[in-house]
Each structure stands twice: as C-alpha cells, then as structure tokens.
Amino acid sequence: MSAVIPPPPVLDAVPAPTARQGAGTARRPRLYVLDGLRLIAALSVVSFHWAGVNIHPEVWGATPRTLMPSVHRVASYGWMGVQLFFLISGFVICMSCWGRSPRDYFTSRVVRLYPAYWVGIVITTLVVNFAATVRASRKPMSVSDVLTNLTMLERPLGVTEADGVYWTLWIELRFYLLFAIVAVMGLTYRRVLAFCGIWTILAVITPSADSKLMDTVFMPQDAPYFIAGVAMYLIYRFGVNPLLLAVVAFSWLFAQNRLHITVGGYEYEVHHSLSWPVMAAVSAAAFLVMLAAAMGALNWIRWKWLTVAGALTYPVYLLHQELGWAMIRWGRNHGIAPFQLLALCLTVILLLSWLVHRFAERPLSAVLKRLLDGAKVSLPKSDPPVRPR
C-alpha cells in the first residue's frame, strides 16, 4: 500500500460563503490557509514516496535510509499528509455544497475529480509501460486495466491502480457517497451534525462487527478525519460551541486509536518501526491548525500565490509517485547527487502539474461541466413519451 493526496483531496477551490448559501451568514474572506495546508500535505506525501519508502531500492540504487538518513527520518512520517487531506476534504465538501442542489453536488464532484485524474492515468501509463527507467518490479498496464482505471473504481473491481497513490481516491468517493445522503436532504446545522454523530457511532462499532461490508462503507480508519473536517466547517459557519468542539475532540481520540492499525502498512514500506508519540503529535497538530482556521485565527494569511499552490496539489498528488521514481532512477544512473536530484524532480513535477492544470484540467473541466449541465443529462420528473416505432 502506498500513501497519497490527494484528493485532494478532492481538493476543491475554497469559496467563501455567500448570501445564497444561507441567510444570516456574512460573506467571509477566502481561506487561503487551506490552500497552504494542501501544499504542505502534498509535499509531505511526496517526501514519503521519494525519501521515506525503502521497499524499492532499485529506484535510488540503495535505500533512502542509507543514502540520506536525516531526511528519511522525517519523510517516513510524510504519509500523514493523507490524513490532513481528509480533514480538509471534510471541511471543503461541506462548504462547497451548502445551499446547492443534489445535481450541483454531483456535478461539482465529477468535474473536480475526473479531468486531472484521466490525464494522470495517461501520463502514468506511458511511464509504467514505456519508460526504461521505471522500477523493474512494476508490471505494465494492460488496455483493460487502463480502461478500468478511468472509472476510478479500479480498487473495488480488483484491478491494479495506474499509480499506487490512487487508493485514497476510493476513500474520497465513499465519503462523497455518504455525504450525498445529507446533501440530497438539504444541508442544515441539525442534519449535518446528526450525520457526524451517526457516522461516528457506526465507524466505532465497525471493527468489532467483523463485517467487510461495514468496513468498506463506514471506513473506521479514515472516518474521524472527514467527520472532524465537517464539524470544523460548522464551527466556521455558525461559530464555536461545546458540542462541536466535543465532536472534533472525540474524532481526534478516535483517530489516534486507529493509527495503531493504519501504521502497519507504512512500517512495511519504510522497513522499520514508527513512533506512536510522533504520529499522535502530528495528527494533533493537523487537527489544531484546521481548528484554528475554522475559528478564523488564520484569516491573516492572504498570500495570493497560495491559490496557485492549492490548484497544483491535485496534479502533484496524481503524478508524483511513478513518474517521480522514474526520474529519480534516471538521475541516479547519471550520477546526480541525492539532494540535487530531489530538488530537480520536485521542480519538474511542479512544472508538469501546472501544465496539466492550465492546459488539460481546466479546459476538460469546463467541457465536462457544460455536458453535465446540459438539459439532456438531467433526469426527467416523469417518464418521457414512448417513441413511435
């Protein structure tokens, strides 16, 4: 198992609440801090795959732990950027669909997730199948595998992901489906809070139920991050109260408990044990900084460049692993030193992510949105007339 963003995370733009989204809520400034946190989460995951993972020594010609031990000690915890992504996702999904129709909710999710993802599959498949410097242990993608990956449902269908980091997108999709229940009913404070409470209860009892179906639906390892993110948006929108703070606090207590289960896969990848106090501290820091953003303590962060950084995090997440490993192996074969090589690879990935965002994701998103907004795509309220034959 390999960790990843993104989405994003499923990583939307961060609009401010408007009058259309509910009376009595003043327009607030854009939360640039969320774009910055996305960037931190993305770079954390990149650091994990490039300098934390030790199970692919053919990438570096040795293990990162041997080549750069100091960097590796920090990067081996970079997978926790995924948990930060899930916190942000819970917050932003609630924000972006408040006051919108179910159709708007569906369209926004499809338009946000798929265009960059399809481009990422094409680029990653080209690297995996045709790049001479890709890791030898990775098998080429068949045409059927590629076509299945286009659905974003390759994991439940039992097909290998084009890139290992795409496993988190299946988690995001399940969150979107669960949240669609309350989105269809119409978002209100009481309904969203009830959603948080019911999901928490079901996620807590799932491990003892020994049910694969319940584990798939209620996601006990990941649920507390999404739930906390949703509760933090309620704090942002309606203000602080003891009940919402209790939801956030209980979610962290739940999350730190599940870290004991989650960490096993990552310890396999780094080939050594990881410190629970460090993981708990990183998790707590993520919760606290998100809570500070929800309470308005970080509204002073208004650097315009963070908007661009936030837009790039999803492509970075989609492209960095297989392509990054191929570039690292190529660079090592040409004698480039590790730290210079890391800087070079990051520069290339950021530039490529900008190109994908600017010339592929944005145009494809616009086209896809027009198609989904078209009258022919909408569901009729009654059966259409039968065509004469």
Side-chain angles (χ1 to χ4, degrees):
M1 178 177 67
S2 295
V4 218
I5 266 303
V10 109
L11 310 175
D12 303 77
V14 188
T18 63
R20 179 177 176 267
Q21 293 174 307
T25 303
R27 184 177 181 87
R28 301 186 182 187
R30 177 187 177 90
L31 286 176
Y32 289 96
V33 65
L34 294 188
D35 294 312
L37 291 175
R38 284 195 186 101
L39 179 62
I40 292 172
L43 294 179
S44 296
V45 175
V46 170
S47 73
F48 176 74
H49 290 130
W50 289 1
V53 173
N54 284 313
I55 59 174
H56 304 303
E58 70 271 25
V59 172
W60 281 100
T63 63
R65 188 179 188 180
T66 302
L67 289 173
M68 38 188 164
S70 298
V71 173
H72 171 76
R73 279 195 293 270
V74 177
S76 59
Y77 294 92
W79 56 272
M80 298 196 71
V82 174
Q83 279 68 42
L84 177 55
F85 271 132
F86 290 162
L87 279 170
I88 298 171
S89 184
F91 187 104
V92 173
I93 296 311
C94 194
M95 170 186 281
S96 61
C97 73
W98 202 286
R100 294 186 178 183
S101 68
R103 177 178 171 179
D104 291 336
Y105 176 72
F106 170 78
T107 299
S108 68
R109 297 306 89 215
V110 172
V111 169
R112 185 66 189 104
L113 283 180
Y114 279 96
Y117 173 74
W118 289 331
V119 176
I121 288 175
V122 172
I123 294 175
T124 302
T125 300
L126 291 174
V127 171
V128 169
N129 285 14
F130 302 108
T133 55
V134 76
R135 58 195 173 97
S137 59
R138 176 63 198 263
K139 295 180 180 180
M141 298 281 292
S142 70
V143 174
S144 177
D145 289 344
V146 174
L147 294 176
T148 304
N149 269 260
L150 294 176
T151 67
M152 206 179 285
L153 300 174
E154 63 276 2
R155 176 154 287 233
L157 291 173
V159 173
T160 300
E161 293 98 345
D163 194 306
V165 299
Y166 295 172
W167 68 270
T168 59
L169 301 180
W170 172 229
I171 294 175
E172 289 278 350
L173 283 177
R174 284 180 281 166
F175 166 54
Y176 296 161
L177 289 173
L178 283 175
F179 198 74
I181 297 172
V182 66
V184 168
M185 296 171 61
L187 269 62
T188 66
Y189 176 86
R190 291 172 63 90
R191 289 172 182 168
V192 174
L193 187 58
F195 169 81
C196 292
I198 293 170
W199 190 10
T200 298
I201 293 170
L202 293 172
V204 167
I205 67 176
T206 290
S208 60
D210 194 24
S211 167
K212 187 175 181 179
L213 177 61
M214 288 183 66
D215 190 75
T216 299
V217 174
F218 302 122
M219 305 180 290
Q221 267 69 261
D222 308 299
Y225 303 100
F226 293 115
I227 292 168
V230 170
M232 288 175 190
Y233 176 69
L234 293 180
I235 289 174
Y236 173 75
R237 185 178 181 89
F238 297 103
V240 182
N241 66 57
L243 181 57
L244 293 177
L245 290 177
V247 172
V248 174
F250 184 87
S251 295
W252 181 80
L253 294 172
F254 184 16
Q256 63 81 29
N257 171 267
R258 303 318 296 170
L259 284 173
H260 293 291
I261 307 300
T262 305
V263 71
Y266 298 105
E267 288 183 332
Y268 167 75
E269 294 192 75
V270 300
H271 275 188
H272 58 78
S273 61
L274 295 171
S275 167
W276 180 86
V278 172
M279 293 187 296
V282 172
S283 175
F287 272 72
L288 288 173
V289 74
M290 280 295 297
L291 185 59
M295 297 173 66
L298 301 178
N299 284 353
W300 57 270
I301 298 177
R302 298 183 182 182
W303 306 318
K304 302 296 184 181
W305 62 269
L306 287 175
T307 304
V308 178
L312 296 186
T313 51
Y314 189 35
V316 166
Y317 183 77
L318 295 171
L319 298 172
H320 78 273
Q321 182 171 267
E322 293 292 352
L323 179 56
W325 283 340
M327 289 191 296
I328 289 170
R329 188 171 178 183
W330 175 89
R332 290 295 290 164
N333 289 342
H334 287 77
I336 303 176
F339 293 107
Q340 288 89 333
L341 184 53
L342 286 173
L344 175 62
C345 290
L346 182 59
T347 301
V348 172
I349 286 294
L350 289 173
L351 177 59
L352 180 60
S353 297
W354 181 83
L355 292 172
V356 167
H357 171 69
R358 177 64 182 82
F359 297 105
E361 182 183 19
R362 283 171 56 181
L364 285 174
S365 296
V367 171
L368 188 58
K369 188 175 189 307
R370 285 198 298 270
L371 290 173
L372 293 174
D373 285 341
K376 293 183 179 180
V377 179
S378 61
L379 294 175
K381 295 182 179 180
S382 59
D383 288 346
V386 178
R387 291 181 61 187
R389 301 184 181 275

